[in-house]
Amino acid sequence: NSIRHYRILRDHMRKQGLDVYQKERQLPSVFISYRRVDEQKKFAKKFVEQLRKQNITVWIDDDGIAAGERLDEILAENIIKHDIFVCVLSDKYFESDFCQSELDFAHNLKKKVFPIKWNDSTLPPAFIFNYGHICRHTYNPQAENLDAELQKCVDEFMKIV
């Protein structure tokens, strides 16, 4: 009976393109924090698409928020629930109380943070103090090849997974 169950599981995994003998690796889940400015929102959505193609669970603020729900509670729940906090940093990001609250909350929870600096944005001293050592990638929205620029961010992210 257990051999039959194993064969059913093996066949199912093969159909899905999975190696039966490969040890399954638990991938982290990700919370995306960004300022809702057109270019940054577009970048965040493309970044999310790329991570989801890697079978990474990602939450971004337009995933399942119903009218009338308290945004602060939803954000807090999802920051707690997810393993890695990805933030798309720009001058406008640091002007937003919501973005600052998200970052502070993730910091207080000691979440792993993956910052992506938006072009030539100025990072505040407190951010540099806490995260300057890990802020390695800058996304340049004026780059000639935006797909390659996005891929650099994804590749950098996958190194920490």
Side-chain angles (χ1 to χ4, degrees), residues 109-124:
L109 292 172
K110 297 181 178 12
K111 293 290 181 174
K112 184 182 272 191
V113 174
F114 182 80
I116 301 170
K117 185 177 176 223
W118 188 263
N119 205 20
D120 56 357
S121 299
T122 303
L123 301 178

Side-chain angles (χ1 to χ4, degrees), residues 66-128:
E69 287 187 286
R70 290 206 40 180
L71 185 59
D72 57 345
E73 289 178 10
I74 292 169
L75 293 171
E77 286 171 15
N78 280 287
I79 292 169
I80 290 168
K81 183 173 150 182
H82 293 84
D83 305 309
I84 300 175
F85 182 88
V86 171
C87 47
V88 182
L89 307 173
S90 66
D91 294 329
K92 294 202 180 291
Y93 183 91
F94 290 106
E95 293 170 4
S96 165
D97 290 338
F98 262 111
C99 292
Q100 281 292 165
S101 295
E102 292 169 9
L103 180 60
D104 291 344
F105 192 58
H107 178 77
N108 291 336
L109 292 172
K110 297 181 178 12
K111 293 290 181 174
K112 184 182 272 191
V113 174
F114 182 80
I116 301 170
K117 185 177 176 223
W118 188 263
N119 205 20
D120 56 357
S121 299
T122 303
L123 301 178
F127 181 85
I128 294 169

